[in-house]
Amino acid sequence: MNITANIVCYKSKTLSNGEHPLMIRVCKDGKKKYKSLGVSVNPKFWNFEKNTLKPNSPNYEYLSRIIADKASELSEEIVKLKSERKDFTASTLLEENSQRVKPRTVNDLFCEQIKRLQDEGRRGYMLSVKQVYNSLLMFNKHLDIYFTDIDTSFLRKYETWLRKQELAENTIGIRFRTLRAIYNLAIEQNLVKAESYPFKKYKVSHLQEERVKRSLSKEDIERILTYKSTNNYMRFPIDIFAFTYYCGGINFIDIAHLTQANIIEGRLIYKRHKTGKLIKIPLCQQALELIKKYHCQESPYLFPILSGFHETEIQKANRIHKVITKVNKRLKEIGEELNLPITLTTYVARHS
């Protein structure tokens, strides 16, 4: 049973970009069969005498890995079929091999995760993952690599690169925690073995600076709540701050999505947009008065942040971002006028 299997640069076919496809060539009993490997190479980067990829080839590591992995798969398949004394042809060998699951790259898993989060409507986390994806692309030029390529050396180089971008310590920490979550997902999906996990040695915990506490005293809170202004544009931010404070630190995005259906027997019942956790809190008189002040019967929402016009998740997210930016800008102005010790934002109301 004489059989050979190798990867060749198929000169008989030239693609529109001038490259030749890399093909699996199986020779058995004098018969040859070819199957595309799904990648191509410029002939000047292929050593036809040695039948190998030249080291100066673009994406050398990526292409070399594909070639080595496929050659190893074919070798294992031949040994397996021989040991089982199964008769096979060049064609059936290629068919057997093509049924194997193609190894997924870091790029593949990131793109799959971004799409999944988008389909689930988890836009906030999706944008966070996409941010890390784009950051890694800028750092490494491409992500056609495997998770085994992300080792402690890779992580240290990435950290150094992020620092050169002059990012804040906590921002770098968020990038790495997101990357760690994607790596954990890769382990769950058997794309990489747990023994290769680089975060055992590379600790993300060192990428965290101590935050300045963003809370106010009761006296300062009272000064904000009693702040007087005839300007409606300044009044709305104060009322949103107050509602957040009265409702146990409710997030702005959750306020935006509140409807009459969220009020049940004098309680505010809603699911956190970020976590999906069910929240139940009693509505005090001040909070009820603010709802009565802003709720318009023509709108499905309790506060004039979203409207029936905002139908898609993107429309809603863009509108919320626009409004909270203006609200926080005006709160900052009010805080400066009141000479508060910290910058006034809706976040402060949540933690005071």
Side-chain angles (χ1 to χ4, degrees):
M1 189 184 287
N2 185 23
I3 183 166
T4 60
N6 50 23
I7 311 300
V8 298
C9 183
Y10 195 64
K11 291 191 292 183
S12 299
K13 183 175 182 179
T14 303
L15 304 178
S16 59
N17 60 0
E19 295 183 347
H20 299 316
L22 292 184
M23 307 280 278
I24 305 167
R25 181 177 66 192
V26 177
C27 302
K28 184 175 184 290
D29 300 331
K31 295 181 180 180
K32 296 179 182 179
K33 284 289 182 180
Y34 292 85
K35 186 175 180 63
S36 174
L37 201 57
V39 292
S40 59
V41 67
N42 190 304
K44 69 180 180 180
F45 297 119
W46 188 265
N47 187 326
F48 287 94
E49 289 183 8
K50 297 182 179 180
N51 200 35
T52 57
L53 187 68
K54 292 181 179 179
N56 64 338
S57 170
N59 296 333
Y60 175 76
E61 290 182 7
Y62 170 60
L63 291 173
S64 294
R65 180 65 66 86
I66 289 178
I67 293 169
D69 286 351
K70 183 54 67 175
S72 176
E73 280 181 23
L74 288 166
S75 178
E76 289 176 11
E77 196 68 44
I78 291 170
V79 171
K80 177 175 174 287
L81 290 169
K82 283 184 175 181
S83 67
E84 294 173 352
R85 298 183 181 276
K86 287 184 178 179
D87 190 24
F88 62 94
T89 64
S91 296
T92 56
L93 174 63
L94 288 172
E95 287 171 10
E96 286 275 347
N97 185 261
S98 65
Q99 290 173 6
R100 291 194 177 198
V101 178
K102 181 185 175 184
R104 286 183 292 164
T105 63
V106 172
N107 187 81
D108 293 335
L109 188 59
F110 259 101
C111 291
E112 288 169 14
Q113 181 70 343
I114 289 168
K115 185 180 185 305
R116 185 178 69 81
L117 292 170
Q118 194 165 20
D119 292 343
E120 291 176 358
R122 298 169 63 187
R123 190 170 185 273
Y125 186 40
M126 182 274 289
L127 290 175
S128 181
V129 173
K130 195 170 184 179
Q131 218 169 28
V132 176
Y133 173 71
N134 291 332
S135 172
L136 285 168
L137 276 177
M138 290 176 65
F139 162 66
N140 199 56
K141 310 306 180 190
H142 69 90
L143 289 179
D144 292 323
I145 58 176
Y146 297 103
F147 280 92
T148 49
D149 295 315
I150 299 181
D151 53 15
T152 52
S153 175
F154 181 98
L155 296 177
R156 290 192 186 100
K157 289 176 183 176
Y158 180 45
E159 180 186 341
T160 300
W161 181 83
L162 287 173
R163 292 190 186 284
K164 286 181 180 178
Q165 311 308 306
E166 299 182 353
L167 296 179
E169 191 76 7
N170 286 327
T171 301
I172 294 174
I174 292 170
R175 294 277 197 281
F176 272 89
R177 283 193 290 277
T178 304
L179 176 57
R180 183 178 61 186
I182 295 294
Y183 203 106
N184 287 334
L185 184 61
I187 293 175
E188 286 178 21
Q189 297 189 11
N190 296 317
L191 301 184
V192 62
K193 292 181 179 179
E195 301 88 78
S196 301
Y197 194 59
F199 294 99
K200 285 181 181 178
K201 292 183 179 179
Y202 182 91
K203 300 297 183 183
V204 177
S205 56
H206 79 279
L207 299 171
Q208 190 170 353
E209 62 187 2
E210 191 174 344
R211 287 178 177 264
V212 176
K213 190 178 180 183
R214 287 190 280 179
S215 61
L216 293 169
S217 65
K218 287 186 177 181
E219 292 76 14
D220 285 331
I221 291 291
E222 189 60 32
R223 290 170 62 206
I224 297 167
L225 297 178
T226 56
Y227 177 84
K228 302 295 182 183
S229 176
T230 55
N231 185 337
N232 287 335
Y233 290 108
M234 300 301 276
R235 189 67 251 166
F236 182 68
I238 289 295
D239 288 341
I240 288 296
F241 182 95
F243 188 80
T244 302
Y245 179 72
Y246 292 137
C247 293
I250 183 173
N251 191 291
F252 186 85
I253 191 171
D254 293 322
I255 294 176
H257 285 89
L258 291 178
T259 67
Q260 194 67 44
N262 293 115
I263 301 176
I264 301 173
E265 296 179 355
R267 294 164 68 86
L268 189 64
I269 301 176
Y270 67 97
K271 281 188 177 182
R272 276 211 64 188
H273 195 81
K274 182 177 180 180
T275 63
K277 183 180 178 181
L278 186 66
I279 306 294
K280 299 179 182 180
I281 53 173
L283 281 168
C284 64
Q285 187 58 39
Q286 296 97 317
L288 287 167
E289 288 174 3
L290 288 171
I291 291 171
K292 184 178 179 181
K293 176 179 179 179
Y294 286 102
H295 180 47
C296 172
Q297 295 297 327
E298 297 175 359
S299 173
Y301 300 101
L302 297 185
F303 290 90
I305 301 170
L306 296 175
S307 69
F309 170 78
H310 305 104
E311 296 180 352
T312 68
E313 288 302 315
I314 292 178
Q315 286 177 328
K316 291 176 182 178
N318 289 341
R319 171 63 179 173
I320 290 169
H321 177 73
K322 181 179 180 180
V323 176
I324 194 172
T325 299
K326 289 183 178 179
V327 165
N328 280 330
K329 180 183 176 183
R330 286 160 187 156
L331 284 176
K332 181 182 178 182
E333 294 172 3
I334 293 167
E336 290 172 350
E337 185 181 332
L338 296 175
N339 197 29
L340 296 177
I342 58 175
T343 301
L344 188 60
T345 65
T346 55
Y347 184 90
V348 173
R350 295 180 59 209
H351 295 271
S352 295

